[in-house]
């Protein structure tokens, strides 16, 4: 259960290359409803061993939306898109978003078009019912040169155009390096926000990942109001061993760590433009993953979801 998120994403990239909505109205009259769900990476080992049984368990807890972290050979956790959609529907679950890495192998600079692998990714996401196709990683080779990096942000925008044809939106999910690495004196996160079209590329703000590099969610949200349609709701605690992403911290049950999670959520509701709040926990201390996400759900309900 100690496989790192980073290694998991790298492995997933290589492999790819080779219903009741739980929501509450926003305070503003006429505002769109919020969506609360769980990133299935939170229970990755359980999903690996028994995806159907684990999804049943989540549904019984009260979750109504999930976000995948496993799309390999055009299948979600071993299920074809239409099959997985039915599995979710039968359990009263929906999957508005999912994580699939957009990498170098998915864009052909010679033809200036996406490869079939990425076109299939978008097609299958639409089939399963997603509203967002979220890429949660930027390969190191793409962040070494300022001009190349900016050019790849145009690929992000083009992916947004491709997703829009299927009624979806492309998105990006941050880790920590976006807040510690700079090109030409600009942090990568600023370059991403400045060079992607908000109408085409949604931002999924992981409020825990950034903490490992000194990023402060409240500050970022105030700097870019309205830019974060999705949020990974996460808390962090001092690690007793080796923390996540090489830092001294690891994720924990919501409300038990150092991040002012409710304050961040409230700001997202008020001025961040956030509608999709996705719980994610990657480390568990003395609890099992299912016990952890059950407590996370209790915290979210306490905060009005």
């Amino acid at each position: 259960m100690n496989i790192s998120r980073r290694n998991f994403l790298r492995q997933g990239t290589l492999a790819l290359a080779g219903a009741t909505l739980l929501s509450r109205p926003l305070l503003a009259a006429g505002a769109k409803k919020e969506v609360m769900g769980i990133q299935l990476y939170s229970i990755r080992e359980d999903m690996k061993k028994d995806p159907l049984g684990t999804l049943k368990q989540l549904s019984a807890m009260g979750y109504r939306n999930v976000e995948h972290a496993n799309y390999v050979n055009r299948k979600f956790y071993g299920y074809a898109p239409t099959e997985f959609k039915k599995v979710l529907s039968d359990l009263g679950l929906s999957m508005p978003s999912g994580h699939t890495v957009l990498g170098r192998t998915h864009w052909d600079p010679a033809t200036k078009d996406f490869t079939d692998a990425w076109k299939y990714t978008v097609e299958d996401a639409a089939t399963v019912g997603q509203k967002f196709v979220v890429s949660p990683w930027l390969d190191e080779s793409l962040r070494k040169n300022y001009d190349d990096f900016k050019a790849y942000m145009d690929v992000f925008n083009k992916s947004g155009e491709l997703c829009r044809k299927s009624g979806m939106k492309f998105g990006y999910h941050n880790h920590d390096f976006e807040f510690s690495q700079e090109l030409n004196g600009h942090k990568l996160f600023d370059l991403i926000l400045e060079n992607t079209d908000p109408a085409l590329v949604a931002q999924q703000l992981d409020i825990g990942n950034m903490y490992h590099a000194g990023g402060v969610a409240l500050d970022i949200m105030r700097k870019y109001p309205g830019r974060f349609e999705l949020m990974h709701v996460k808390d962090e605690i001092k690690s007793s061993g080796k923390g996540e992403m090489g830092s001294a911290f690891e994720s924990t049950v919501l409300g038990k760590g150092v991040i002012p999670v409710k304050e961040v959520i409230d700001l997202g509701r008020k001025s961040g433009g956030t509608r999709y709040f996705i719980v994610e926990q990657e480390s568990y201390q003395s609890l099992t993953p299912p016990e952890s996400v059950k407590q996370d759900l209790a915290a979210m309900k306490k905060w009005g979801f």
Side-chain angles (χ1 to χ4, degrees):
M1 215 175 298
N2 59 357
I3 179 173
S4 74
R5 172 73 156 162
R6 189 163 297 175
N7 287 336
F8 182 89
L9 290 169
R10 285 174 176 153
Q11 293 168 9
T13 305
L14 290 173
L16 178 59
T20 301
L21 191 70
L22 193 90
S23 58
R24 67 181 291 277
L26 287 166
L27 296 179
K32 294 182 179 179
K33 291 183 178 179
E34 296 171 353
V35 175
M36 190 276 290
I38 181 171
Q39 164 54 250
L40 294 176
Y41 187 78
S42 304
I43 45 170
R44 52 198 174 274
E45 293 298 327
D46 298 82
M47 285 297 296
K48 181 179 179 180
K49 295 173 184 176
D50 182 11
L52 180 58
T54 303
L55 290 170
K56 286 180 178 178
Q57 194 173 6
L58 291 175
S59 179
M61 286 180 195
Y63 282 103
R64 291 295 172 261
N65 297 281
V66 300
E67 179 180 79
H68 80 78
N70 184 284
Y71 172 77
V72 180
N73 296 327
R74 301 197 68 179
K75 292 185 177 181
F76 301 92
Y77 300 96
Y79 292 92
T82 52
E83 295 173 332
F84 197 59
K85 183 176 183 179
K86 185 177 187 306
V87 166
L88 294 174
S89 179
D90 288 347
L91 294 173
L93 297 171
S94 298
M95 191 164 71
S97 56
H99 280 195
T100 310
V101 176
L102 173 63
R104 278 191 180 276
T105 59
H106 296 126
W107 175 255
D108 186 345
T111 62
K112 297 188 183 303
D113 194 10
F114 291 100
T115 61
D116 287 344
W118 189 250
K119 291 177 181 178
Y120 289 146
T121 297
V122 173
E123 178 184 329
D124 293 340
T127 298
V128 83
Q130 288 178 217
K131 299 181 184 301
F132 296 90
V133 179
V134 181
S135 181
W137 185 252
L138 261 177
D139 190 79
E140 293 177 19
S141 66
L142 296 170
R143 35 188 163 104
K144 290 183 177 181
N145 176 281
Y146 178 80
D147 292 333
D148 289 348
F149 185 88
K150 286 193 66 177
Y152 205 73
M153 291 303 98
D154 190 47
V155 176
F156 273 22
N157 289 323
K158 291 183 185 302
S159 182
E161 293 173 353
L162 178 64
C163 289
R164 184 164 62 182
K165 293 177 181 177
S166 296
M168 299 183 295
K169 195 168 184 178
F170 179 66
Y172 180 72
H173 164 280
N174 65 276
H175 273 72
D176 57 346
F177 61 81
E178 297 91 342
F179 300 90
S180 59
Q181 188 175 344
E182 295 186 356
L183 290 173
N184 284 23
H186 301 278
K187 289 189 184 298
L188 294 189
F189 193 78
D190 292 318
L191 291 175
I192 293 170
L193 272 287
E194 292 166 4
N195 290 281
T196 53
D197 184 345
L200 297 172
V201 182
Q203 299 297 326
Q204 184 178 61
L205 192 69
D206 189 306
I207 68 176
N209 284 351
M210 66 171 59
Y211 189 82
H212 298 276
V216 179
L218 291 172
D219 292 346
I220 294 298
M221 294 168 72
R222 292 182 181 118
K223 183 176 182 179
Y224 297 105
R227 288 297 301 272
F228 306 106
E229 295 178 60
L230 308 96
M231 179 186 294
H232 262 197
V233 182
K234 190 182 290 185
D235 208 344
E236 299 287 326
I237 194 172
K238 188 81 171 178
S239 177
S240 58
K242 185 178 179 180
E244 297 164 1
M245 303 181 197
S247 80
F249 289 83
E250 63 184 30
S251 54
T252 189
V253 170
L254 298 177
K256 294 187 176 182
V258 297
I259 295 178
V261 181
K262 184 180 184 301
E263 189 177 352
V264 174
I265 288 174
D266 287 345
L267 182 59
R269 287 169 161 168
K270 181 179 179 181
S271 61
T274 312
R275 285 189 55 218
Y276 294 82
F277 296 85
I278 310 299
V279 171
E280 184 179 41
Q281 186 175 340
E282 301 180 38
S283 299
Y284 319 99
Q285 293 78 58
S286 60
L287 300 175
T288 66
E291 289 170 341
S292 297
V293 300
K294 187 174 184 179
Q295 290 191 24
D296 290 329
L297 179 59
M300 294 296 282
K301 287 184 176 180
K302 184 176 66 175
W303 294 332
F305 289 89

